[in-house]
Structures are given as C-alpha cells and as structure tokens.
C-alpha cells in the first residue's frame, strides 16, 4: 500500500538517521540560530508588550476600549492573512519576528487583563487605604494575584509563537531559516527531513517555553522571598 | 477632632445607619453593638470607602491605618514582604521586629503568610496597621480569633497608640475596659 512507501511516510529510524545527519551539518545550527533568535525576539516582545498593555487597560478604561478591537482583530484574522500582508511591508528575514510577536500579544494581554480584573475588591481597598504606589501595588496585590493567568497565558502564547513563526518562514522562505528547510523538504518530498525538522521545532518550542516559564517563576520566587 | 454628624446609609431597601453621630478625640474609642447593626459600614464611611446618603464628616486625616475584618494579607508573600510593600518608605526592619515580638510573633518575618495560623495572620495584619504611622487608626474586630495571652499582648500593643484617635470595633466589654476606651454603642 501507499502508506508503506518511505516517500510518503518515513520510518522512525530514517527520521532519527536524518536527524543525526542534520546534527553534523553547520547549516543546521545556522538555521536554528536564525529562526530561534527571530521567533524568541518576537515572542518576548509580545509577552512584554502584552503585560504592559494589560496593566494599562486594567487601570484606564479608555485604553481597554481602544485596545479591544485591535486585540480582537489580531486574534480572529487567520495567521496566513497576516503573513501575506506583512510580506508586503517587511523583508522575509524579519517576518517571523513580527508574526510571533503578533500571535503572543493578544493571548498574554487577554489572560492578564482577565486576571487583573478579578483582583478581589477587598485587596483593592487595602491598596487604597495603605496608599500604595503603583509599583508597590503591582508587587503586593497585582502580580501575586495574576500568577496563574500569566503562567497559563505565557505557556499557550509561546507555543503559538513557534507554530506561527515557522509558518511565516515557510511562506516567506528566508534563506537559512528552519522554514526554508521545511519548504525544501516539501519540494523534494523528503519526509525524513520534514519530520526531523519537525522534531527539532517541537524540541525548541518546548525548551523555549520551559526557559521563559522558569524565568517568570524565578521572578515570583524572588518576590515571595522578599 | 474627627466628627461624623447625622450619618444615614441605605443599601437598596435595607437601612443600615440612621442619623448616627460620632466624635473621635485622641485616645481609644470602642464602637459596640449587635451584629449587623452597621458598625463596619460606619467604619467604611469614616475611612472613605463608602459614601453616606446624608450627613457630614469632618476632620478626618489623610493618613488612616485600617485593620479590616478580614486580614487582607498577600498569602504567597512573606510577612516581611507584606509589611515592606504595604508600609513603603515607613518600613523599618527593627521596628517591625519589635512590634511582632510585642505581639508574640518574634520569628515570623521570613515566613510565608499562607503558612501561618489564623490568629498569627490577625496579629500580622494588626502589626501592619499599627506600623503604618497613621493619624487615625481604625480596627475592625482586631482581637477576633485570638486566645487570652495573644489577645492581651495585642491589646497592650494597641494601648501604646492611645495618643491619637483609635477606633476599635468590638463585641466584648472586657476588651473595652482593658483598653481604657470610651465606649460608643450603636
């Protein structure tokens, strides 16, 4: 049957062999560095801006009102539309930065805003009575309360960053990227390479997510030991 | 002198306060009355957390320390973190340590609030209110859930602040006597 043909679906052994072969190539590491640096930059940018905008929207209703349609648009418009649109304005080399940024921003923003809106009224009153400055309120009331929202939002968003970032590279085909390698696998029907690269992307995505979550949790540990 | 004159307050159909007046000179005043009679509402009006439907409020200072009925501490932070962040530049480690020792909590500064018992949390919240260095101290049932020894220690700590207006809500006349307080019944 067609399924037993290695052309269509490679065996696990051939994928592993291809993976080890990739590990011997310098271009493999260049592709990792190229894609990782761009997707990580975009994801971290989206994370930081999502945090800042959520805190702003929680304080100022006007900011929430202005941001709502923007965030809704980014969340609902298909990522492929954004990729093609962005290609008209950006070079393919910067595309994955922008797309991963765009995917992370609304998820972090929405999760965090929901958390900030659910800060109990009695803690808000305590903050008012003790005349907490914005920074002290952030550390004593807001950040401890939104911890689960921030962690779950970041975990979801960072996974999305890799999916969308690599998709952007497959469409934009920047030279020397992981996306370009995936595209070449498709052109040459090289499913061993396709699956080997997929394993690499999954590993990178998981490692990146773990590293960012570890950094966030370390920040919380410092606050909790204050 | 802090004065509340002819204060009335309704929550929808329920009238909670009707034509209540109160004067708070320096010293401890105990506000007493049956449960649900509006003591906490009066405290919330005094501290600006609620607005009265009618009546006047005068002489209330800007800096008020309040111990709420609930402890309102951040459970995931340490006692030190809670005090430091609530008190800001007024936080002094030595004073905090002295106050906690007075409240029979000599070793809790590095402990996480969630690891403390209910009575310990109550005293940490009281410590925060007393260290806030306010011109008016408002304590809503500060000794709730404390045993005799810790209650006596907490009352001694409150008595040290009798040089300024201190309003204490309590149900216990013995507490009012021990504090040497004026008593106002609602």
């Amino acid at each position: 049957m067609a399924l037993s043909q290695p052309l269509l679906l490679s065996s696990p052994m051939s994928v592993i062999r291809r993976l080890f072969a990739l590990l011997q190539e310098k271009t493999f590491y260049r592709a990792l560095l190229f894609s990782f640096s761009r997707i990580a930059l975009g994801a971290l940018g989206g994370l930081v801006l999502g945090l800042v905008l959520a805190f702003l929207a929680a304080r100022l209703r006007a900011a929430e009102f202005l941001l709502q349609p923007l965030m809704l648009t980014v969340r609902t418009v298909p990522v492929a539309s954004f990729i093609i649109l962005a290609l008209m304005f950006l070079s393919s080399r910067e595309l994955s930065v922008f797309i991963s940024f765009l995917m992370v921003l609304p998820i972090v923003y929405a999760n965090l805003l929901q958390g900030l809106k659910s800060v109990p009224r009695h803690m808000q009153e305590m903050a008012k009575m003790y005349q907490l400055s914005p920074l002290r309120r952030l550390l004593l009331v807001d950040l401890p309360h939104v911890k689960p929202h921030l962690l779950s939002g970041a975990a979801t968003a960072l996974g999305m960053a890799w999916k969308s970032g690599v998709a952007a590279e497959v469409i934009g085909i920047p030279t020397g990227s992981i996306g370009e390698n995936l595209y070449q696998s498709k052109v040459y029907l090289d499913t061993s390479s396709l699956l080997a690269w997929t394993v690499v992307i999954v590993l990178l995505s998981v490692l990146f997510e773990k590293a960012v979550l570890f950094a966030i949790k370390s920040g919380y540990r410092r606050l909790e030991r204050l | 002198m802090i004065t509340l004159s002819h204060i009335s307050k309704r929550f929808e159909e329920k009238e909670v306060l009707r034509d209540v007046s109160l004067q708070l000179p320096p010293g401890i005043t105990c506000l007493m009355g049956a449960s649900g009679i509006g003591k906490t509402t009066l405290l919330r009006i005094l501290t600006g957390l609620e607005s009265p439907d009618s009546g006047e409020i005068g002489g209330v200072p800007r800096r008020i320390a309040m111990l709420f009925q609930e402890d309102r501490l951040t459970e995931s932070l340490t006692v030190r973190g809670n005090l430091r962040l609530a008190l800001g530049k007024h936080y002094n480690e030595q004073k905090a340590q002295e106050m906690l020792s007075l409240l029979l909590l000599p070793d809790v500064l590095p402990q996480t609030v969630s690891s403390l018992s209910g009575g310990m949390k109550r005293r940490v919240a009281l410590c925060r209110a007393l260290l806030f260095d306010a011109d008016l101290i408002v304590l809503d049932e500060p000794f709730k859930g404390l045993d005799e020894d810790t209650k006596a220690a907490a009352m001694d700590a409150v008595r040290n602040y009798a040089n300024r207006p201190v309003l204490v809500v309590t149900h216990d006349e013995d507490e009012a006597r021990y504090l040497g307080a004026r008593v106002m019944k609602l």
Side-chain angles (χ1 to χ4, degrees):
Chain A
M1 294 292 286
L3 271 177
S4 64
Q5 299 303 308
L7 189 67
L8 290 183
L9 192 62
S10 300
S11 69
M13 276 315 292
S14 63
V15 174
I16 291 168
R17 270 197 299 274
R18 181 66 189 122
L19 196 54
F20 276 104
L22 282 174
L23 289 171
Q24 317 293 320
E25 296 170 14
K26 271 187 183 169
T27 51
F28 169 77
Y29 297 100
R30 281 200 203 111
L32 285 196
L33 188 64
F34 181 98
S35 296
F36 182 84
S37 59
R38 282 162 175 77
I39 293 171
L41 180 67
L44 292 177
L47 187 66
V48 172
L49 193 66
L51 274 165
V52 172
L53 292 180
F55 278 105
L56 190 70
R59 296 278 176 280
L60 297 170
R61 282 198 66 79
E64 187 191 356
F65 181 75
L66 289 171
L67 287 167
Q68 196 177 13
L70 190 72
M71 294 298 172
L72 190 67
T73 306
V74 177
R75 266 171 43 195
T76 49
V77 170
V79 64
S81 305
F82 274 121
I83 294 169
I84 293 162
L85 195 65
L87 266 175
M88 296 177 191
F89 303 99
L90 295 171
S91 93
S92 63
R93 296 178 70 81
E94 277 81 50
L95 188 63
S96 55
V97 181
F98 178 66
I99 294 299
S100 54
F101 166 83
L102 217 54
M103 291 302 109
V104 169
L105 177 69
I107 299 173
V108 172
Y109 171 83
N111 267 45
L112 213 62
L113 185 59
Q114 190 190 16
L116 287 167
K117 282 183 167 182
S118 67
V119 170
R121 191 173 159 213
H122 69 259
M123 290 306 281
Q124 295 177 30
E125 287 178 353
M126 184 279 291
K128 186 181 169 192
M129 288 311 303
Y130 285 92
Q131 301 172 1
L132 300 187
S133 65
L135 177 65
R136 286 194 286 133
R137 187 196 151 117
L138 179 78
L139 297 173
L140 184 61
V141 179
D142 295 333
L143 281 178
H145 181 76
V146 301
K147 183 179 177 182
H149 298 86
L150 178 58
L151 289 173
S152 74
T156 310
L158 296 175
M160 286 298 294
W162 277 91
K163 285 186 187 181
S164 57
V166 172
E169 287 182 350
V170 171
I171 295 175
I173 325 173
T175 310
S177 66
I178 292 177
E180 188 202 17
N181 282 282
L182 279 181
Y183 182 77
Q184 299 290 348
S185 309
K186 176 213 154 197
V187 168
Y188 297 111
L189 296 177
D190 180 1
T191 49
S192 299
S193 290
L194 175 70
L195 292 175
W197 277 108
T198 304
V199 169
V200 171
I201 294 164
V202 169
L203 285 175
L204 279 178
S205 171
V206 170
L207 286 174
F208 181 62
E209 182 189 314
K210 297 276 179 213
V212 174
L213 293 183
F214 177 78
I216 295 173
K217 285 177 185 169
S218 298
Y220 269 103
R221 271 195 293 277
R222 282 190 64 183
L223 176 63
E224 285 159 4
R225 285 191 202 128
L226 198 70
Chain B
M1 175 90 81
I2 299 163
T3 54
L4 283 81
S5 309
H6 308 292
I7 300 292
S8 296
K9 178 74 181 175
R10 297 183 77 90
F11 289 110
E12 295 176 358
E13 294 303 302
K14 193 179 176 202
E15 185 174 56
V16 183
L17 294 169
R18 185 199 284 176
D19 198 28
V20 175
S21 295
L22 171 70
Q23 289 193 329
L24 284 179
I28 302 172
T29 303
C30 278
L31 186 61
M32 303 184 78
S35 294
I37 205 161
K39 301 184 295 296
T40 297
T41 304
L42 190 64
L43 257 53
R44 291 175 64 81
I45 289 171
L46 172 67
T47 53
L49 293 173
E50 297 279 355
S51 302
D53 296 336
S54 62
E56 288 182 7
I57 304 161
V60 178
R62 213 180 72 82
R63 207 170 161 79
I64 305 169
M66 184 158 183
L67 173 66
F68 298 88
Q69 258 186 18
E70 319 82 26
D71 303 317
R72 305 195 185 190
L73 298 164
T74 303
E75 294 273 326
S76 59
L77 267 56
T78 60
V79 171
R80 180 185 284 113
N82 270 275
L83 296 178
R84 252 175 90 170
L85 292 170
L87 303 174
K89 62 183 179 196
H90 297 278
Y91 178 76
N92 177 307
E93 180 93 1
Q94 195 187 335
K95 278 188 183 172
Q97 186 57 63
E98 283 169 12
M99 178 63 76
L100 288 168
S101 298
L102 200 63
L103 293 167
L104 309 181
L105 294 170
D107 305 316
V108 296
L109 267 179
Q111 286 185 38
T112 305
V113 168
S114 59
S115 70
L116 305 178
S117 69
M120 292 164 95
K121 288 178 192 172
R122 195 72 190 139
R123 281 174 285 155
V124 171
L126 177 62
C127 174
R128 179 178 66 185
L130 296 178
L131 287 175
F132 188 54
D133 195 26
D135 301 313
L136 166 65
I137 299 173
V138 179
L139 308 172
D140 197 351
E141 300 191 31
F143 315 118
K144 188 176 65 179
L146 302 185
D147 61 39
E148 286 308 312
D149 289 343
T150 53
K151 188 194 282 187
M155 287 194 288
D156 287 339
V158 172
R159 279 207 307 200
N160 290 339
Y161 287 80
N163 59 345
R164 66 195 83 179
V166 180
L167 182 60
V168 179
V169 167
T170 178
H171 294 282
D172 190 338
E173 291 193 6
D174 289 340
E175 288 176 7
R177 267 195 296 277
Y178 191 95
L179 291 167
R182 292 167 64 233
V183 172
M184 193 216 157
K185 293 201 173 174
L186 259 192

